[in-house]
Amino acid sequence: LLHALDPDHVAAVAGVSAGSRNEKLPLWQFSLRWAAGHSFAIGGVAVLVLLFGLALPKTLSHYAEGSVSLMLIALGLLALLRMKFARFGGVSEHLPLRGAIIVGLVHGLAGSAPLLALLPLSSLEQPVIGLLYVLFFCAGVAIAMTGLARILALSLGWLGRVTDYYRSAVRVVFALFSIAVGSWLLLT
């Protein structure tokens, strides 16, 4: 479950939550689809490792990490733009649910995900047990990410009932956090 709280995962959900005024269903749907893409990537790599003895090429992981950085920066910038233009009433608040699977897929190939999910598999002799481990790993990530999204959505909703000023300030902080994490990952 701790893997789901990696800064890049939190930044992805925060960046999306900052760009949406709908605090209910779409944010958790985004997180669930993000987790599905993440799980598909890790599951695919696990099958390649466990059943075929192949390894994830370093260049693919390197490009995936760069893509995650750029996606986080883009999510933060888009959130800021949505907030700016939402005042004029011409911006849709619909979250990019189809893109969530792609964002999750790239996250699943980058960083610590393949390592955390696959390192314990190296000591297993039975592929079925390894695949069950990966299934539970992915389920834990999905539950944690969806829970995080729900907490963020409820927090923004509560702030909106108190005052729009505070909710707007937190949305700006979320967007800037997404940009900051993406920039940090890009530079390191």
Side-chain angles (χ1 to χ4, degrees), residues 30-169:
F30 175 90
S31 295
L32 197 57
R33 290 181 186 197
W34 178 94
H38 189 271
S39 299
F40 184 74
I42 291 176
V45 171
V47 166
L48 291 175
V49 169
L50 287 170
L51 300 181
F52 302 111
L54 301 174
L56 185 67
K58 279 189 173 184
T59 55
L60 177 62
S61 182
H62 176 72
Y63 286 123
E65 288 177 25
S67 297
V68 166
S69 303
L70 295 175
M71 279 191 270
L72 291 175
I73 293 168
L75 284 172
L77 290 173
L78 287 171
L80 291 173
L81 287 173
R82 281 174 143 346
M83 287 183 273
K84 178 179 168 81
F85 292 114
R87 290 187 226 152
F88 303 113
V91 174
S92 167
E93 291 294 339
H94 177 68
L95 292 174
L97 295 176
R98 283 172 270 157
I101 293 174
I102 295 169
V103 172
L105 185 68
V106 173
H107 266 91
L109 293 173
S112 64
L115 181 64
L116 287 174
L118 301 177
L119 188 59
L121 302 182
S122 63
S123 64
L124 299 175
E125 294 180 15
Q126 297 179 355
V128 173
I129 293 174
L131 291 175
L132 282 173
Y133 167 80
V134 170
L135 179 68
F136 281 110
F137 179 87
C138 293
V141 169
I143 291 167
M145 289 302 295
T146 306
L148 174 64
R150 189 67 182 140
I151 289 168
L152 291 175
L154 289 172
S155 300
L156 286 173
W158 179 80
L159 283 172
R161 284 188 289 279
V162 173
T163 176
D164 276 340
Y165 173 78
Y166 291 125
R167 178 170 60 180
S168 296

